[in-house]
Amino acid sequence: SQELEQSPQSLIVQEGKNLTINCTSSKTLYGLYWYKQKYGEGLIFLMMLQKGGEEKSHEKITAKLDEKKQQSSLHITASQPSHAGIYLCGALSPKGAGSYQLTFGKGTKLSVIP
Amino acid sequence: NAGVTQTPKFQVLKTGQSMTLQCAQDMNHEYMSWYRQDPGMGLRLIHYSVGAGITDQGEVPNGYNVSRSTTEDFPLRLLSAAPSQTSVYFCASRRGTGDTQYFGPGTRLTVL
């Protein structure tokens, strides 16, 4: 089965600093999703990447997909306390009957110090 | 649209009890899934469905049953609750393979 490794596991940054979270897959990536989760709450969809070299941005968050390396990175510019939470990457894995299901990494816990 | 809804939000069970976690979506999505989230383990897929009448097992299906009689609903049944099933359960849905997957708010289950 596909395994996703996220690094780092946790991160503490000063407000205003830039940071990067990585997600590496053990198998071919068919689609890579990024979610954010605040403690005790549900998952908020951030971005989805499907093609090698694809890059998407939303406000101060940019995600890139390196298909050859089977890796995605999430970059936050000028971090704010509102960016704090757990970031999860999920990848589409082929399952039975030709379907693809999302499997997830263990998450990266981000704390932003004012 | 209400999106993906889950009930209850919190539940405490005794070992051996059974219960059903409810999940519904009003977006006419074909794909629905159940995950559990445990500290240090991330999200793990329990069961999934690609349409009404079609279900299949995920990574951790033991102790759980599902059925999909309608497009909207995808209940998860715990047959005989065990302390190892203490977790936060999330239901999710999406239209198709490459579409956004939306998550419900979760059910926090404790088994004593």
Side-chain angles (χ1 to χ4, degrees):
Chain A
S1 61
Q2 183 165 36
E3 289 189 6
L4 291 175
E5 187 168 330
Q6 286 187 238
S7 61
Q9 286 185 331
S10 65
L11 194 54
I12 302 173
V13 300
Q14 198 82 34
E15 182 176 359
K17 296 293 186 185
N18 302 336
L19 63 106
T20 299
I21 298 169
N22 291 306
C23 175
T24 303
S25 172
S26 62
K27 295 190 176 182
T28 301
L29 284 169
Y30 295 95
L32 195 290
Y33 294 65
W34 283 100
Y35 288 85
K36 178 187 173 186
Q37 184 181 29
K38 291 230 176 230
Y39 180 73
E41 297 181 13
L43 279 74
I44 300 167
F45 172 76
L46 295 175
M47 275 169 272
M48 179 178 67
L49 306 165
Q50 287 187 292
K51 301 174 188 174
E54 189 172 10
E55 179 176 322
K56 288 187 178 177
S57 293
H58 177 67
E59 297 180 343
K60 294 185 179 181
I61 301 176
T62 300
K64 300 178 186 178
L65 181 63
D66 186 331
E67 209 169 48
K68 286 184 181 176
K69 291 184 181 177
Q70 297 177 173
Q71 186 177 70
S72 177
S73 61
L74 187 83
H75 184 78
I76 299 177
T77 304
S79 58
Q80 299 168 352
S82 60
H83 287 128
I86 299 171
Y87 289 81
L88 291 147
C89 67
L92 287 172
S93 297
K95 298 291 185 187
S99 73
Y100 289 76
Q101 298 303 319
L102 262 184
T103 55
F104 286 86
K106 294 182 180 180
T108 295
K109 184 178 178 183
L110 172 64
S111 302
V112 180
I113 303 170
Chain B
N1 287 351
V4 182
T5 57
Q6 291 183 238
T7 56
K9 280 197 162 183
F10 302 93
Q11 183 70 49
V12 179
L13 292 177
K14 293 182 180 177
T15 296
Q17 286 185 314
S18 62
M19 81 158 293
T20 299
L21 307 185
Q22 300 292 345
C23 173
Q25 51 89 12
D26 60 358
M27 298 174 281
N28 201 31
H29 285 173
E30 290 297 324
Y31 287 62
M32 296 186 75
S33 308
W34 275 103
Y35 294 86
R36 60 178 287 174
Q37 186 176 36
D38 302 292
M41 300 294 290
L43 280 165
R44 291 182 291 171
L45 183 65
I46 305 172
H47 284 287
Y48 65 95
S49 169
V50 297
I54 307 170
T55 64
D56 207 344
Q57 296 180 351
E59 306 165 59
V60 288
N62 292 342
Y64 307 95
N65 269 0
V66 291
S67 60
R68 184 99 179 266
S69 55
T70 66
T71 300
E72 295 77 21
D73 300 299
F74 191 43
L76 178 73
R77 296 183 189 85
L78 278 70
L79 309 172
S80 176
S84 60
Q85 293 179 306
T86 293
S87 187
V88 181
Y89 291 84
F90 289 100
C91 180
S93 78
R94 71 179 193 271
R95 187 174 304 279
T97 295
D99 294 313
T100 301
Q101 178 151 300
Y102 298 92
F103 283 81
T107 293
R108 192 172 293 272
L109 175 69
T110 302
V111 182
L112 303 174

